[in-house]
Amino acid sequence: MPLPPLAPQALGGPQAPAASPARPESPSPHAVARLRTARLARSAKPFLARGGPRGERCPGCRLVPSHCLCGVCPVVPTRAGVCLLMADIEPLKPSNTGWLIADVVPDTFAFGWARTEVDPALLALLADPQWQPYVVFPGEFVAPERVVTEVALPPEGATDSKRPLFILLDATWPEARKMFRKSPYIDRFPVLSLQPEQISRYQLRRSRREDHFCTSEVAGLCLDLAGEPLAAQALQAYLDVFTHHYLQAKHQLPPDWQGPEHQRLRDVTAGG
């Protein structure tokens, strides 16, 4: 799910426990998990992800059970929210990083995208007066008057300012362009055009273009612009850990629980 010229980050590993720490109790599945369940219910045939005995995967992190990382999932309260518009197959992909956003950012919303219909719950969210939606998309493809490069932050002490809601098109770049063109309900919102200076280090489904970033990286840069540096750092560190576990499982190697990815995640969460 590499996205267009948008948003930011990476990974490494001694030997450690054969299994992850226990997953904290969660009151209910997050938005992407619910969307995945709904998408599976509509499938005419089962979706089979590769890996694990008979394709078995943890329902919490979508990794094979031996590489489960549910016990280290960071949750960071944020003022900002994220709205994922997901191409049809994205919620089913084990490598989808929109799932990581929903793990970390409590106010994450996820909707399947279709050209001919719109979920009423999505329209209600976009009309909710507590939110200021920003469509995250490259400014070079948008009328200049819609483009912004910064997020409006509330004055110090203000309690009635709108909260930023970042609309991310979770899809391949060709799909994202079509979604942007054929979603008139987002036409009234400003387009946040990100100008990152660093090159993506996302390694799971590498885009051919170096200015394309995965959905989680995009969300991290948005959170940073919204004055949420801890959430941005936690999300980036969590992506690094996820990528490490995913690639280790792919190559049938154990995850390194004491390696630099896990250490960075511990440092970030401890600092919060």
Side-chain angles (χ1 to χ4, degrees), residues 219-261:
L221 188 52
C222 289
L223 290 168
D224 208 36
L225 290 173
E228 309 268 13
L230 178 60
Q233 293 166 23
L235 183 57
Q236 189 56 64
Y238 188 45
L239 171 63
D240 292 349
V241 168
F242 174 74
T243 304
H244 171 68
H245 279 238
Y246 187 100
L247 294 178
Q248 292 294 98
K250 181 179 179 180
H251 296 108
Q252 299 184 339
L253 297 171
D256 182 1
W257 295 92
Q258 305 305 321
E261 299 83 16

Side-chain angles (χ1 to χ4, degrees), residues 36 46 88 110 124 140 161 172 176 197 200 245 266:
R36 181 180 188 275
D88 183 60
E140 63 192 278
S161 298
T172 64
E197 297 178 355
S200 170
H245 279 238
R266 287 191 289 267

Side-chain angles (χ1 to χ4, degrees), residues 110-148:
F111 302 92
W113 184 87
R115 185 179 61 82
T116 57
E117 55 185 333
V118 187
D119 190 327
L122 169 59
L123 298 179
L125 173 67
L126 298 179
D128 188 328
Q130 74 171 301
W131 298 111
Q132 171 55 66
Y134 293 88
V135 184
V136 184
F137 204 73
E140 63 192 278
F141 301 100
V142 186
E145 60 271 18
R146 286 187 68 192
V147 176
V148 298

Side-chain angles (χ1 to χ4, degrees), residues 79-92:
R79 183 172 179 272
V82 176
C83 175
L84 297 168
L85 293 186
M86 306 186 79
D88 183 60
I89 200 70
E90 287 298 332
L92 303 181

Side-chain angles (χ1 to χ4, degrees), residues 13-246:
Q15 220 82 337
S20 73
R23 180 177 178 83
E25 288 297 321
S26 176
S28 62
H30 59 52
V32 180
R34 296 195 301 271
L35 184 60
R36 181 180 188 275
T37 299
R39 176 61 182 80
L40 285 171
R42 298 198 313 271
S43 298
K45 57 183 180 179
F47 178 81
L48 300 177
R50 291 178 294 177
R54 297 177 300 281
E56 181 185 4
R57 288 180 178 271
C58 170
C61 64
R62 299 148 299 133
L63 296 174
V64 295
S66 59
H67 289 63
C68 171
L69 51 72
C70 292
V72 299
C73 172
V75 179
V76 183
T78 63
R79 183 172 179 272
V82 176
C83 175
L84 297 168
L85 293 186
M86 306 186 79
D88 183 60
I89 200 70
E90 287 298 332
L92 303 181
K93 294 178 179 176
S95 57
N96 178 278
T97 65
W99 192 289
L100 305 182
I101 302 169
D103 278 342
V104 175
V105 179
D107 283 323
T108 297
F109 309 88
F111 302 92
W113 184 87
R115 185 179 61 82
T116 57
E117 55 185 333
V118 187
D119 190 327
L122 169 59
L123 298 179
L125 173 67
L126 298 179
D128 188 328
Q130 74 171 301
W131 298 111
Q132 171 55 66
Y134 293 88
V135 184
V136 184
F137 204 73
E140 63 192 278
F141 301 100
V142 186
E145 60 271 18
R146 286 187 68 192
V147 176
V148 298
T149 57
E150 296 181 352
V151 175
L153 299 178
E156 189 171 348
T159 58
D160 57 351
S161 298
K162 289 193 173 187
R163 302 166 62 191
L165 178 70
F166 300 110
I167 302 172
L168 306 185
L169 308 182
D170 192 359
T172 64
W173 174 225
E175 289 173 323
R177 293 186 68 175
K178 181 174 81 170
M179 292 163 69
F180 184 81
R181 293 195 312 269
K182 298 183 179 295
S183 303
Y185 46 88
I186 62 175
D187 287 350
R188 68 185 188 275
F189 301 124
V191 173
L192 179 62
S193 181
L194 303 176
Q195 313 293 319
E197 297 178 355
Q198 54 198 133
I199 299 299
S200 170
R201 294 178 286 167
Y202 181 58
Q203 301 175 33
L204 305 185
R205 286 190 279 150
R206 182 68 263 154
S207 170
R208 293 180 182 176
R209 292 183 54 174
E210 290 189 331
D211 56 355
H212 286 201
F213 303 95
C214 77
T215 309
S216 177
E217 292 175 307
V218 174
L221 188 52
C222 289
L223 290 168
D224 208 36
L225 290 173
E228 309 268 13
L230 178 60
Q233 293 166 23
L235 183 57
Q236 189 56 64
Y238 188 45
L239 171 63
D240 292 349
V241 168
F242 174 74
T243 304
H244 171 68
H245 279 238
Y246 187 100

